[in-house]
Amino acid sequence: MRTRILAGWLVVAGSVVGVGTAAPSARFDPSCTALLAARNKQAGRGQAYNIELTMHRESAKLVTYSSGFLSPNADGSFAGASNQLFSDRFAGGQPFSMNAADQLNLNLSPTGLLRIHYSPWNFDTSWDLSCRGSMLTAYLPGFGIVTLTFRDLFFPIG
């Protein structure tokens, strides 16, 4: 996966994600909370969304990509999981190998707060996301960019 920052824009695998200015968090953006409500309503009973989660860490020059699912909850939130499929480390050290297909447990609030629990490392992160079209993003200066993309609906087995 090729990643580069060009004139204030992050280009990840051919997709452009703006990083020049931080958008307001979803909870302060009615169009974003409406997007999450529509995604929740669109998913029928027993359906889930395939999702992609990309993290571009400026501090460690590390890009990680995860693929998984999010299922809607009655309260408007989403819950699911993803597997960290690969990372692309360009330079610098890191405290552990991110190439080990870590399991991520995901919770997304109706206001765009994404909580991630990393297994087997047993730590948590939270990201107050904003909307960029149909993608949810967070940019934290000095850390990097987190992007959550909803894909197609499916009926999970089990």
Side-chain angles (χ1 to χ4, degrees):
M1 178 168 74
R2 285 197 71 183
T3 303
R4 63 185 188 277
I5 294 179
L6 179 63
W9 293 92
L10 174 69
V11 180
V12 179
S15 298
V16 177
V17 179
V19 298
T21 59
S25 68
R27 75 178 128 201
F28 301 113
D29 183 351
S31 65
C32 196
T33 53
L35 169 72
L36 291 172
R39 292 283 186 196
N40 196 293
K41 185 177 180 180
Q42 180 183 17
R45 184 176 181 151
Q47 287 186 305
Y49 285 96
N50 285 312
I51 57 103
E52 295 173 0
L53 181 65
T54 305
M55 294 182 206
H56 177 270
R57 292 190 52 197
E58 295 172 347
S59 58
K61 306 292 186 221
L62 175 72
V63 177
T64 62
Y65 171 79
S66 300
S67 178
F69 71 93
L70 282 174
S71 298
N73 294 318
D75 67 356
S77 67
F78 297 84
S82 69
N83 289 314
Q84 203 162 54
L85 300 178
F86 66 83
S87 66
D88 185 2
R89 183 167 57 100
F90 292 108
Q94 59 191 44
F96 49 80
S97 173
M98 296 293 274
N99 296 312
D102 299 334
Q103 176 73 34
L104 309 179
N105 295 315
L106 309 172
N107 289 293
L108 179 63
S109 78
T111 61
L113 181 65
L114 176 65
R115 291 189 174 101
I116 304 171
H117 177 78
Y118 296 80
S119 296
W121 306 106
N122 199 28
F123 70 93
D124 300 290
T125 59
S126 293
W127 305 96
D128 193 7
L129 302 175
S130 60
C131 287
R132 298 248 186 220
S134 63
M135 295 187 320
L136 300 167
T137 63
Y139 173 65
L140 296 172
F143 179 82
I145 300 168
V146 175
T147 304
L148 173 68
T149 306
F150 283 90
R151 297 292 181 201
D152 56 335
L153 283 166
F154 73 99
F155 287 96
I157 298 173

